[in-house]
Coordinates of all heavy atoms in Angstrom, one line a residue:
R151 N 12.6 59.8 4.5 CA 11.6 60.8 4.6 C 11.4 61.2 6.1 O 10.5 62.0 6.4 CB 10.3 60.2 4.1 CG 10.3 60.0 2.6 CD 9.0 59.3 2.1 NE 8.9 59.2 0.7 CZ 8.0 58.5 0.0 NH1 7.0 57.9 0.7 NH2 8.0 58.4 -1.3
G152 N 12.2 60.7 6.9 CA 12.1 61.0 8.3 C 11.0 60.3 9.1 O 10.6 60.8 10.2
S153 N 10.5 59.3 8.5 CA 9.4 58.5 9.1 C 9.9 57.8 10.3 O 11.0 57.2 10.3 CB 8.7 57.6 8.1 OG 8.2 58.3 7.0
Q154 N 9.1 57.7 11.3 CA 9.4 56.9 12.5 C 8.8 55.5 12.3 O 7.6 55.3 12.3 CB 8.9 57.5 13.8 CG 9.2 56.7 15.0 CD 8.7 57.4 16.3 OE1 8.1 58.4 16.2 NE2 8.9 56.7 17.4
L155 N 9.7 54.5 12.1 CA 9.2 53.2 11.8 C 8.4 52.7 13.0 O 8.8 52.8 14.2 CB 10.4 52.2 11.6 CG 11.3 52.6 10.4 CD1 12.4 51.6 10.2 CD2 10.4 52.7 9.1
G156 N 7.3 52.1 12.7 CA 6.4 51.6 13.7 C 5.6 52.7 14.4 O 5.1 52.5 15.5
G157 N 5.5 53.8 13.7 CA 4.9 55.0 14.3 C 3.4 55.1 14.1 O 2.8 56.1 14.5
L158 N 2.7 54.1 13.6 CA 1.3 54.1 13.5 C 0.7 54.1 14.8 O 1.2 53.4 15.7 CB 0.8 52.9 12.7 CG 1.1 52.9 11.2 CD1 0.6 51.5 10.6 CD2 0.3 54.0 10.5
R159 N -0.4 54.8 15.0 CA -1.1 54.8 16.2 C -1.7 53.4 16.6 O -2.0 52.6 15.7 CB -2.2 55.8 16.2 CG -1.8 57.3 16.1 CD -2.9 58.2 16.1 NE -2.5 59.6 16.0 CZ -3.3 60.6 15.9 NH1 -4.6 60.5 15.9 NH2 -2.8 61.8 15.8
D160 N -1.8 53.1 17.8 CA -2.3 51.8 18.3 C -3.6 51.5 17.7 O -3.9 50.4 17.2 CB -2.3 51.7 19.8 CG -0.9 51.7 20.4 OD1 0.1 51.4 19.6 OD2 -0.8 51.9 21.6
K161 N -4.5 52.5 17.7 CA -5.9 52.2 17.2 C -5.9 51.9 15.7 O -6.6 51.0 15.3 CB -6.8 53.5 17.5 CG -7.1 53.7 18.9 CD -8.0 54.9 19.1 CE -8.4 55.1 20.6 NZ -9.3 56.2 20.8
T162 N -5.0 52.6 15.0 CA -5.0 52.3 13.5 C -4.4 51.0 13.3 O -4.9 50.2 12.4 CB -4.1 53.4 12.9 OG1 -4.6 54.7 13.1 CG2 -4.0 53.1 11.4
M163 N -3.4 50.6 14.0 CA -2.8 49.3 13.9 C -3.8 48.2 14.2 O -3.9 47.2 13.5 CB -1.5 49.1 14.8 CG -0.4 50.0 14.3 SD 1.0 49.8 15.5 CE 1.5 48.1 15.2
K164 N -4.5 48.4 15.3 CA -5.5 47.4 15.7 C -6.6 47.2 14.6 O -7.1 46.1 14.4 CB -6.1 47.7 17.1 CG -5.1 47.5 18.2 CD -5.7 47.9 19.5 CE -4.7 47.7 20.7 NZ -5.3 48.1 22.0
R165 N -7.0 48.4 14.1 CA -8.1 48.4 13.1 C -7.6 47.7 11.8 O -8.3 46.9 11.3 CB -8.5 49.8 12.8 CG -9.7 49.9 11.8 CD -10.2 51.3 11.6 NE -9.3 52.2 11.1 CZ -8.7 53.2 11.8 NH1 -9.0 53.3 13.1 NH2 -7.8 54.0 11.2
N166 N -6.4 48.0 11.4 CA -5.8 47.3 10.2 C -5.7 45.8 10.4 O -6.0 45.0 9.5 CB -4.5 47.9 9.9 CG -4.6 49.3 9.3 OD1 -5.6 49.7 8.9 ND2 -3.5 50.0 9.4
E167 N -5.2 45.4 11.6 CA -5.1 44.0 11.9 C -6.5 43.3 11.9 O -6.6 42.2 11.4 CB -4.4 43.8 13.3 CG -3.0 44.1 13.3 CD -2.4 44.0 14.7 OE1 -3.1 43.6 15.6 OE2 -1.1 44.2 14.8
A168 N -7.5 44.0 12.5 CA -8.8 43.4 12.5 C -9.4 43.2 11.1 O -10.0 42.2 10.8 CB -9.8 44.3 13.3
I169 N -9.1 44.2 10.2 CA -9.6 44.1 8.8 C -8.9 43.0 8.1 O -9.6 42.2 7.4 CB -9.3 45.4 8.1 CG1 -10.2 46.6 8.6 CG2 -9.6 45.3 6.6 CD1 -9.9 47.9 8.1
Q170 N -7.6 42.8 8.3 CA -6.9 41.8 7.7 C -7.3 40.4 8.2 O -7.4 39.4 7.4 CB -5.4 42.0 7.9 CG -4.8 43.2 7.2 CD -3.4 43.5 7.5 OE1 -2.7 42.7 8.3 NE2 -2.8 44.5 7.0
E171 N -7.5 40.3 9.5 CA -7.9 39.0 10.1 C -9.3 38.6 9.6 O -9.6 37.5 9.3 CB -7.9 39.1 11.6 CG -6.5 39.2 12.1 CD -6.5 39.2 13.7 OE1 -7.6 39.2 14.3 OE2 -5.4 39.3 14.3
K172 N -10.2 39.6 9.4 CA -11.5 39.4 9.0 C -11.5 38.8 7.5 O -12.2 37.9 7.2 CB -12.4 40.6 9.1 CG -13.9 40.4 8.6 CD -14.7 41.6 8.7 CE -16.1 41.4 8.2 NZ -16.9 42.6 8.2
A173 N -10.7 39.5 6.7 CA -10.6 39.1 5.3 C -10.0 37.7 5.2 O -10.4 36.9 4.4 CB -9.7 40.1 4.5
A174 N -9.0 37.4 6.0 CA -8.4 36.1 6.0 C -9.3 35.0 6.5 O -9.4 33.9 5.9 CB -7.1 36.1 6.9
E175 N -10.1 35.4 7.5 CA -11.1 34.4 8.0 C -12.1 34.1 7.0 O -12.5 32.9 6.8 CB -11.7 34.9 9.3 CG -12.8 34.0 9.9 CD -12.2 32.7 10.4 OE1 -11.0 32.6 10.6 OE2 -13.0 31.8 10.8
E176 N -12.6 35.1 6.3 CA -13.6 34.9 5.3 C -13.1 34.1 4.1 O -13.8 33.2 3.6 CB -14.1 36.3 4.7 CG -15.0 37.1 5.7 CD -15.4 38.4 5.1 OE1 -14.9 38.8 4.1 OE2 -16.3 39.1 5.7
A177 N -11.8 34.4 3.7 CA -11.2 33.6 2.7 C -11.0 32.1 3.1 O -11.3 31.2 2.3 CB -9.9 34.2 2.3
R178 N -10.7 31.9 4.3 CA -10.5 30.6 4.8 C -11.8 29.8 4.8 O -11.8 28.6 4.3 CB -9.9 30.6 6.3 CG -9.7 29.2 6.9 CD -9.4 29.3 8.4 NE -10.5 29.8 9.1 CZ -11.5 29.0 9.5 NH1 -11.6 27.8 9.1 NH2 -12.5 29.5 10.2
K179 N -12.8 30.4 5.2 CA -14.1 29.7 5.2 C -14.6 29.4 3.8 O -15.1 28.3 3.5 CB -15.2 30.5 5.9 CG -15.0 30.6 7.4 CD -16.0 31.5 8.1 CE -15.8 31.6 9.6 NZ -16.8 32.5 10.2
L180 N -14.4 30.4 2.9 CA -14.8 30.2 1.5 C -14.0 29.1 0.8 O -14.5 28.4 -0.1 CB -14.8 31.5 0.8 CG -15.9 32.5 1.1 CD1 -15.5 33.9 0.6 CD2 -17.2 32.1 0.5
M181 N -12.7 29.1 1.1 CA -11.8 28.1 0.4 C -12.2 26.7 0.8 O -11.9 25.8 0.0 CB -10.4 28.4 0.8 CG -9.7 29.5 0.1 SD -9.8 29.4 -1.7 CE -8.7 28.0 -1.9
A182 N -12.9 26.5 1.9 CA -13.4 25.1 2.2 C -14.4 24.7 1.2 O -14.5 23.5 0.9 CB -14.0 25.1 3.6
T183 N -15.0 25.6 0.5 CA -16.0 25.3 -0.5 C -15.4 25.4 -1.9 O -15.5 24.6 -2.8 CB -17.2 26.2 -0.4 OG1 -17.9 26.0 0.8 CG2 -18.2 25.9 -1.5

Side-chain angles (χ1 to χ4, degrees):
R151 293 175 177 174
S153 301
Q154 182 179 356
L155 299 180
L158 288 175
R159 295 180 179 179
D160 289 344
K161 289 184 179 180
T162 301
M163 292 179 65
K164 290 180 180 179
R165 182 171 63 250
N166 290 341
E167 289 179 359
I169 292 172
Q170 292 174 1
E171 288 180 2
K172 181 181 179 181
E175 178 66 13
E176 289 179 349
R178 181 187 65 78
K179 291 179 179 179
L180 286 166
M181 281 304 294
T183 300

